[in-house]
Amino acid sequence: MTDVTITQPRRNFWRTRKGQQIAITLLFLVVPLTLLVVFTYFPFAEMVKFSFYKMKYTTPVEKRVYVGLRNYVDVFKREDCFGALKLSVYYMVGALLQLVIALYFATILSFKVKGGNLFKGLMFFPYLINGIAIGFIFKFFYTRGFVLDTVLMWLGASQENLPYWLKDQSVNNWSLVATSVWRYFGQNMVLFIGAIMSVDDSLYEAAALDGANKWQMFKHIILPSIKTIVTLNIILSITGSLSAFEQPYVITSGANGTGTYFVIMNEIAHTSQKVGLASAMAVVLLLIIFACTILQKLFFTYIFRDANSEDESYKAKRARIKAEKLQRKELKKAGKGGARA
């Protein structure tokens, strides 16, 4: 009698549960990755390549002149290119002031305040308005003899003594910075409110029992607990300051010394048709943003070295432990008193 071996037919892997999961995952990844490569990484690679050539948009490939690093040298030698970076200082100062104000109001509005929800909505509303529309609003607002001048004259100022808010180079950049602060203040405030409201209420109670005042609670409980959001907002604000475009472009078109780096880059690329130089400017700006992000990350890692992203700060934890000990002592005293009675 002979043994008969029955072989099971091999099952197709892609018909198994695991195979189907992998297939579906790959299918969902293909579309976004393809879009990312085609519309982000490929154009970026082309831009880096263009930065080494002297060319226009319509210059044929065979007529493009290879200039090496000359475009990058021109970025730092030309006054209109490198000088525009100096204007970013105005926007950085405004961004830091904006964050301080946003954090102040967020700390107040995170607790029960009469009319708090209305105030949150009013402050967040400007962020929902299109940047071009805001530019036109403030262009009218700052025009000589219009809204701002009228309000100041109501308060007793003389129009002859008021500056030209968009022409006087001593104030025009600050006027544009105020526009950016007005627009983005609400967004930062809402982010801070969300982070502050996630802090455990027992920390405030423990700190209060330990005798901490409002400033100490903010310094040792709120600020360390929301350090991730603070760091993120500052990084976004600084990088946004380096790439300011909508307000100076719409309100002044970069005139009277208000042309930021992006405005000058746009003019060089689309008006002067110096695509190679504009591409080099974009690459330089990207490197500057990377450097600023890394430096800020290192700075805040040092500043918040005593705070853990997963735990409360050391001082807040110490206050909580003291409060818990005090509560246990009071419970023991109450228990002894009840037993004697």
Side-chain angles (χ1 to χ4, degrees):
M1 192 173 178
T2 59
D3 294 334
V4 179
T5 303
I6 301 175
T7 59
Q8 294 287 340
R10 292 189 64 184
R11 194 176 179 186
N12 190 342
F13 172 75
W14 297 108
R15 291 186 179 181
T16 63
R17 183 180 180 85
K18 186 176 181 180
Q20 289 177 355
Q21 288 176 343
I22 294 174
I24 293 172
T25 303
L26 292 175
L27 184 62
F28 276 96
L29 284 174
V30 164
V31 175
L33 287 177
T34 302
L35 293 174
L36 188 65
V37 170
V38 172
F39 294 104
T40 301
Y41 294 138
F42 179 72
F44 175 74
E46 286 292 301
M47 182 188 70
V48 174
K49 184 178 74 173
F50 291 162
S51 68
F52 297 105
Y53 289 88
K54 182 180 181 181
M55 53 175 287
K56 296 182 178 180
Y57 284 112
T58 57
T59 303
V61 177
E62 63 275 6
K63 292 187 178 181
R64 295 173 183 172
V65 180
Y66 180 79
V67 295
L69 296 175
R70 188 183 304 171
N71 286 326
Y72 290 94
V73 174
D74 288 343
V75 171
F76 294 96
K77 289 180 66 176
R78 287 179 53 140
E79 182 61 29
D80 57 345
C81 294
F82 187 70
L85 278 176
K86 299 176 184 177
L87 295 183
S88 300
V89 176
Y90 288 95
Y91 291 88
M92 287 182 185
V93 172
L96 295 177
L97 178 63
Q98 162 191 305
L99 289 174
V100 171
I101 298 173
L103 185 56
Y104 174 76
F105 282 107
T107 305
I108 295 175
L109 295 173
S110 296
F111 305 95
K112 291 183 179 180
V113 178
K114 189 175 181 179
N117 290 331
L118 176 63
F119 187 80
K120 292 175 192 176
L122 292 175
M123 292 298 101
F124 185 71
F125 180 72
Y127 180 70
L128 302 177
I129 305 174
N130 182 272
I132 304 298
I134 288 178
F136 283 116
I137 291 170
F138 276 88
K139 187 174 184 178
F140 178 81
F141 181 78
Y142 286 126
T143 300
R144 183 71 167 180
F146 280 65
V147 180
L148 182 57
D149 285 355
T150 301
V151 172
L152 292 176
M153 285 189 289
W154 286 347
L155 298 175
S158 173
Q159 184 171 341
E160 289 74 19
N161 297 328
L162 295 175
Y164 285 84
W165 303 105
L166 299 178
K167 292 182 179 180
D168 189 343
Q169 295 190 20
S170 63
V171 297
N172 57 4
N173 282 301
W174 291 116
S175 300
L176 298 178
V177 168
T179 304
S180 295
V181 171
W182 180 81
R183 183 186 181 191
Y184 293 106
F185 155 74
Q187 178 207 19
N188 291 320
M189 186 187 71
V190 168
L191 290 173
F192 283 138
I193 288 174
I196 293 172
M197 292 182 71
S198 65
V199 179
D200 189 0
D201 291 339
S202 62
L203 295 176
Y204 302 122
E205 296 172 2
L209 289 172
D210 201 39
N213 56 33
K214 297 296 183 183
W215 167 248
Q216 290 171 331
M217 289 184 186
F218 173 80
K219 182 180 178 181
H220 300 302
I221 296 177
I222 295 177
L223 197 57
S225 299
I226 65 170
K227 76 180 190 69
T228 302
I229 297 298
V230 172
T231 305
L232 176 63
N233 272 342
I234 291 181
I235 289 174
L236 291 176
S237 298
I238 297 300
T239 54
S241 301
L242 291 169
S243 55
F245 175 73
E246 289 177 338
Q247 275 70 43
Y249 182 75
V250 177
I251 298 176
T252 63
S253 299
N256 302 310
T258 59
T260 58
Y261 194 79
F262 254 61
V263 172
I264 299 300
M265 185 168 61
N266 175 72
E267 182 181 346
I268 289 173
H270 299 114
T271 304
S272 303
Q273 291 282 305
K274 296 180 180 180
V275 178
L277 178 59
S279 299
M281 290 179 67
V283 174
V284 169
L285 180 62
L286 180 65
L287 294 175
I288 292 173
I289 289 174
F290 275 152
C292 289
T293 303
I294 293 170
L295 290 175
Q296 288 175 84
K297 186 67 177 176
L298 294 174
F299 174 76
F300 284 106
T301 300
Y302 174 77
I303 290 295
F304 293 111
R305 61 190 182 277
D306 293 331
N308 235 326
S309 59
E310 298 178 356
D311 303 311
E312 69 260 40
S313 67
Y314 169 74
K315 291 186 178 180
K317 192 172 184 179
R318 186 177 63 181
R320 178 175 58 81
I321 292 171
K322 285 184 177 180
E324 289 174 352
K325 287 181 179 179
L326 182 61
Q327 288 176 349
R328 283 196 294 267
K329 287 181 180 179
E330 290 177 353
L331 288 172
K332 286 181 180 179
K333 288 181 180 178
K336 289 179 181 178
R340 287 175 183 173

